Amino acid sequence: MSSKEKKELSETDVCRLFITPAITTAGWDPMKQIRQEVTLTPGPIIVRGNVSSRNKKKKKFADYVLYWEPGVPVAVVEAKDNNHTVSHGIQQALGYAEILEVPSAFSSNGDAFASHNKVPATGEDIETEFALEAFPPPQDLWKRYKSFRGIEDQAEELVVQPYYEAASGGKEPRYYQVEAINRTVEAVASGQRRVLLVMATGTGKTYTTFQIIWRLWKAGKVKRILFLADRNILVDQTLVNDFKPFGSVMTKIKNRKIDPSYEIYLGLYQAITGPDEEDKIFRNVSREFFDMIVIDECHRGSAADDSAWREILDYFSGAVQVGLTATPKETEYVSNITYFGEPVYTYSLKQGIEDGFLAPYKVVRIDIDKDIHGWTPPPGMKDDLGQEIEQREYNQKDMDRILVLNQRTKLVANRVMQYLRATDPYSKTIIFCQDIDHAERMRVAIVNAAGQLALDNPKYVMRITGDSVEGKAELDNFIDPESKFPVIATTSELLTTGVDAKTCKLIVLDKTISSMTIFKQIIGRGTRIDEENNKWFFTIMDFKKATALFRDPDFDGEPVVIYEPGDDDDPVPPDPPPEEGDDDDDDDDGGGEGAIKIRVSNVPAIIIAERIEYIGPDGTLITESYKDFTRKQIQSEYASLDQFLYRWNGAKKKQAIIEELEEYGIVLENLAAEIGKEYGDFDLICHIAYGQPPLTRQERAYKVKKRDYFTKYGEQARAVLTALLDKYADEGVGTLESAKVLRLDPFKAMGTPVEIINNIFGGKDKFDNAIQELEQELFKEEKTA
């Protein structure tokens, strides 16, 4: 093939004719060791008001991933067409190698290979180029991988133990799950006895755990395994879902008995231990009975010296012990890192949102006057029972803990329903309350605020707490995406952990939270994405300033927007930039479950204050108007009006510029809502960023019609262009540039899109030129001083 012919080939052809044959000739098995177009991340979710979509520009997929064994990636190859240099794709390949944590990255344009080796031998270059026929064989790259990961020869057999693969092609582990599984297996293979794995809620810890156990169990490294959790629903979900392939060798510990005839044991720690010696049934088996113990949510006390979990771990001290947690933070009292050691792998909420595996969130922060300013009862004031109220100031922490203001509860319920009605009244919602009493009062308040919605279905809102048999019976329906009801769950603690409510779109915080861990667990109820049910992001409605107290940007990232509406404001947050349990203090100050509370019905409560915080260019939250934020971002890309006009007028598709601005967090629908929906994108940008007086879309269209611009076209073409102008006036430039517009009225009467383009305009090129000329006429701009 000549050089000229080669340069005319597509990237796909270069792969098929040159790169794939070179790799297979080197000894790589095309069925087991070579995978092409491997999606690593789907791309982050862009949130626009109550609408969202994926930013597919930021999707990451590797042209080739090479595996030593399935599930053990060792190298990445990036392909380019022959118009690029050999090493053009090496930086891209290195980015994917970083994600997969492999040492070998390659790039090729079909002429040769460029290579980057992260573990070069003494005297070896890091980057080299070599001929197509010299691609390294599997054994060479496996040896390099072992060196990079610190895998000794004696650990190799365990490290390459196969994953479980469903016969019908079940779900495949995501890149971070593969890395978590492999890092854990490698640690155990190297003799590590305590292993900590940190993965944000919603990232599939249980599935990851299953694969770890499966591989170690199948390899014969461990025979009997105990999976411990502290919520019954966690055990039951695990039993029937992710752990199901274990089948008959698996059992759930119950009736305070450990049956020695099984190999995989799932249990509540409460079922095998307790305060009294007879409760400690784990002592009924030998210390060597379990070879491996996995502690789910190990932040909840397992590392504390006086913990019941710690007692179990100490008894089976010879077993491999794996701790799973979503919250790696150290505290003054408990340190899972001190017990387990540094995590072998961490996958944070922030990373999950950036990758697009986890849902971003918005915050509606609401302040109530009695919370912020406090409330002191007038002298001699009595509560609803006729008892005189103690003379002191009651503050936010006292609300629903010591002092119950019924008007405040109604206010919260009305605000929640106002938000749901403005978005979707059937969005799954969890309201976290101070205690069971508060959860019941909130249920009543929601019923009254919901009105007809609650009349139409009595299960529209349910209290789901540990003491409510009826409520707990509805838990499965609440978390089932196929079940419409209940829509709203009021709770205190039951739904803080482990419940996979993947369609939950609204989390309401009306609970004083003093633990970072429990805060993260609560937030974790909303982080799952469910594309099938249109769940792309979630909203936190915060009445207790919890989101201000618990910021851990390194692990969690920042919320996409924080909004504090006033009493008369729209409860739906404005459009954001498109990037983006353990013990609590519930029993302090006499405010725990069953405590006597002061109840007052006739004290009014109102919502005060409004503040909007946005993510700034450096990733920190800044307080400013959306107009100020937009102006700064546009001017950072286009320093002057001249620069912007040059770019706008030179763009074949104006929509491309609008999409580029979205990368900066500028959603022009926001500006239209603030400045005027009759203005188009061009005028909004020029007005906000450069102080130009805006024209409406109708005014721009009218100016074009007044000119003699159309005279050079025939009658039919003028009719099409006039209709397109009308479409622009109604809907904006995006419609003008969409090929689909020709399928709509009034164009249907003029012919099919193909007939309009070919017969009226003389072909696609001439039609595209006519659209570009029309846009030039539309956006003729006379600058003002």
Side-chain angles (χ1 to χ4, degrees), residues 71-336:
V72 186
V74 295
V76 174
V77 183
E78 182 62 25
K80 297 296 176 187
D81 66 38
N82 200 246
N83 294 294
H84 294 85
T85 62
V86 173
S87 64
H88 187 86
I90 200 71
Q91 290 187 139
Q92 199 173 342
L94 275 169
Y96 301 148
E98 286 289 322
I99 290 173
L100 295 174
E101 296 197 23
V102 298
S104 301
F106 301 93
S107 169
S108 179
N109 66 350
D111 287 340
F113 283 102
S115 167
H116 183 105
N117 177 6
K118 293 186 180 183
V119 283
T122 305
E124 256 187 345
D125 286 338
I126 297 169
E127 293 204 355
T128 56
E129 288 190 12
F130 49 82
L132 286 176
E133 56 271 18
F135 193 82
Q139 192 66 44
D140 287 4
L141 294 191
W142 172 240
K143 185 178 178 182
R144 186 186 297 179
Y145 178 86
K146 284 169 61 182
S147 172
F148 180 67
R149 307 271 291 209
I151 300 169
E152 301 292 337
D153 290 344
Q154 66 270 21
E156 181 173 332
E157 184 179 352
L158 181 54
V159 167
V160 300
Q161 177 65 37
Y163 283 66
Y164 171 80
E165 289 187 40
S168 57
K171 65 180 177 182
E172 200 172 286
R174 296 166 173 173
Y175 85 84
Y176 64 85
Q177 292 171 334
V178 169
E179 189 59 20
I181 295 161
N182 287 347
R183 286 292 182 186
T184 304
V185 171
E186 286 169 20
V188 174
S190 66
Q192 199 169 320
R193 311 297 290 175
R194 293 176 178 175
V195 181
L196 180 63
L197 202 51
V198 178
M199 295 173 69
T201 302
T203 55
K205 289 197 297 291
T206 312
Y207 171 75
T208 302
T209 304
F210 161 72
Q211 289 286 10
I212 291 167
I213 295 174
W214 179 271
R215 291 176 67 187
L216 295 174
W217 177 67
K218 278 290 187 181
K221 180 70 175 178
V222 294
K223 184 180 179 184
R224 287 200 189 98
I225 299 98
L226 172 63
F227 177 87
L228 274 179
D230 69 347
R231 297 284 191 276
N232 202 48
I233 189 168
L234 285 174
V235 174
D236 291 341
Q237 283 178 348
T238 302
L239 196 72
V240 299
N241 294 328
D242 289 318
F243 278 37
K244 190 176 182 180
F246 284 121
S248 61
V249 303
M250 176 174 60
T251 187
K252 177 182 177 181
I253 298 174
K254 48 193 173 184
N255 302 323
R256 306 204 74 79
K257 182 182 177 184
I258 298 175
D259 185 338
S261 59
Y262 293 91
E263 295 182 41
I264 312 294
Y265 296 79
L266 280 66
L268 288 169
Y269 78 91
Q270 299 96 321
I272 66 171
T273 191
D276 300 321
E277 196 58 37
E278 60 266 25
D279 297 328
K280 303 181 192 299
I281 64 162
F282 64 88
R283 297 185 189 276
N284 295 341
V285 295
S286 72
R287 290 177 177 272
E288 294 74 37
F289 186 81
F290 291 113
D291 306 301
M292 181 177 183
I293 301 178
V294 179
I295 308 96
D296 194 24
E297 309 293 4
C298 70
H299 54 270
R300 290 207 292 275
S302 64
D305 288 340
D306 58 353
S307 164
W309 293 38
R310 179 63 180 271
E311 190 177 34
I312 299 167
L313 297 179
D314 287 344
Y315 184 78
F316 298 109
S317 58
V320 172
Q321 298 176 357
V322 178
L324 306 173
T325 181
T327 54
K329 276 278 188 192
E330 300 285 274
T331 73
E332 181 182 352
Y333 307 103
V334 175
S335 170
N336 49 33

Side-chain angles (χ1 to χ4, degrees), residues 315-586:
Y315 184 78
F316 298 109
S317 58
V320 172
Q321 298 176 357
V322 178
L324 306 173
T325 181
T327 54
K329 276 278 188 192
E330 300 285 274
T331 73
E332 181 182 352
Y333 307 103
V334 175
S335 170
N336 49 33
I337 290 176
T338 300
Y339 182 81
F340 288 101
E342 290 295 322
V344 294
Y345 187 71
T346 297
Y347 190 72
S348 66
L349 174 59
K350 180 180 181 181
Q351 189 63 52
I353 291 172
E354 288 177 4
D355 285 345
F357 291 118
L358 295 180
Y361 59 96
K362 301 186 292 187
V363 177
V364 183
R365 188 176 293 157
I366 297 170
D367 288 342
I368 297 174
D369 61 341
K370 299 299 184 290
D371 292 20
I372 303 305
H373 303 317
W375 178 71
T376 302
M381 185 178 185
K382 295 182 179 180
D383 65 14
D384 291 354
L385 297 177
Q387 303 293 317
E388 190 165 319
I389 303 172
E390 180 187 353
Q391 278 289 294
R392 73 171 180 87
E393 182 177 280
Y394 296 87
N395 58 29
Q396 188 170 54
K397 195 172 181 180
D398 295 323
M399 298 301 164
D400 294 297
R401 180 189 288 265
I402 293 170
L403 176 68
V404 174
L405 299 179
N406 288 330
Q407 295 300 320
R408 184 191 178 284
T409 308
K410 289 180 180 178
L411 181 68
V412 171
N414 285 331
R415 189 49 133 187
V416 171
M417 289 311 305
Q418 184 186 357
Y419 176 85
L420 288 175
R421 284 194 172 98
T423 53
D424 174 10
Y426 295 100
S427 290
K428 295 280 186 174
T429 300
I430 305 175
I431 306 178
F432 287 99
C433 302
Q434 196 64 47
D435 52 28
I436 291 172
D437 166 67
H438 185 203
E440 173 57 21
R441 287 186 290 103
M442 186 61 70
R443 184 197 64 79
V444 173
I446 290 287
V447 167
N448 292 327
Q452 193 62 43
L453 290 164
L455 287 174
D456 291 343
N457 193 301
K459 291 181 179 178
Y460 179 78
V461 55
M462 296 287 291
R463 171 170 60 88
I464 301 180
T465 50
D467 69 321
S468 171
V469 175
E470 297 79 11
K472 284 201 293 186
E474 290 298 323
L475 182 56
D476 285 344
N477 287 328
F478 180 76
I479 64 180
D480 182 2
E482 302 300 318
S483 178
K484 190 173 184 179
F485 300 99
V487 173
I488 302 173
T490 67
T491 189
S492 56
E493 290 186 2
L494 188 64
L495 290 171
T496 56
T497 57
V499 178
D500 189 4
K502 61 183 178 181
T503 56
C504 177
K505 290 185 178 180
L506 177 62
I507 291 172
V508 180
L509 303 178
D510 198 23
K511 172 188 179 77
T512 299
I513 302 170
S514 55
S515 158
M516 173 72 88
T517 295
I518 202 165
F519 173 74
K520 288 183 178 179
Q521 291 297 315
I522 287 173
I523 299 312
R525 299 313 101 217
T527 54
R528 290 164 177 83
I529 293 169
D530 190 340
E531 298 184 23
E532 193 176 320
N533 291 285
N534 199 32
K535 157 70 184 301
W536 297 92
F537 69 96
F538 68 105
T539 301
I540 302 167
M541 186 174 281
D542 181 9
F543 290 91
K544 289 292 184 88
K545 287 191 176 294
T547 50
L549 291 171
F550 298 113
R551 283 186 185 167
D552 185 13
D554 288 342
F555 191 79
D556 300 315
E558 297 282 8
V560 288
V561 63
I562 293 183
Y563 176 45
E564 294 188 352
D567 196 28
D568 297 325
D569 293 331
D570 188 337
V572 184
D575 294 343
E579 281 293 342
E580 318 221 302
D582 60 61
D583 293 334
D584 205 0
D585 290 338
D586 282 347

Side-chain angles (χ1 to χ4, degrees), residues 15-16 18-31 33-34 36 64 66 113 132 135-138:
C15 289
R16 179 174 55 85
F18 299 101
I19 301 176
T20 302
I23 296 172
T24 53
T25 301
W28 294 86
D29 185 333
M31 301 301 292
Q33 294 183 303
I34 304 173
Q36 290 185 249
Y64 294 83
L66 305 182
F113 283 102
L132 286 176
F135 193 82

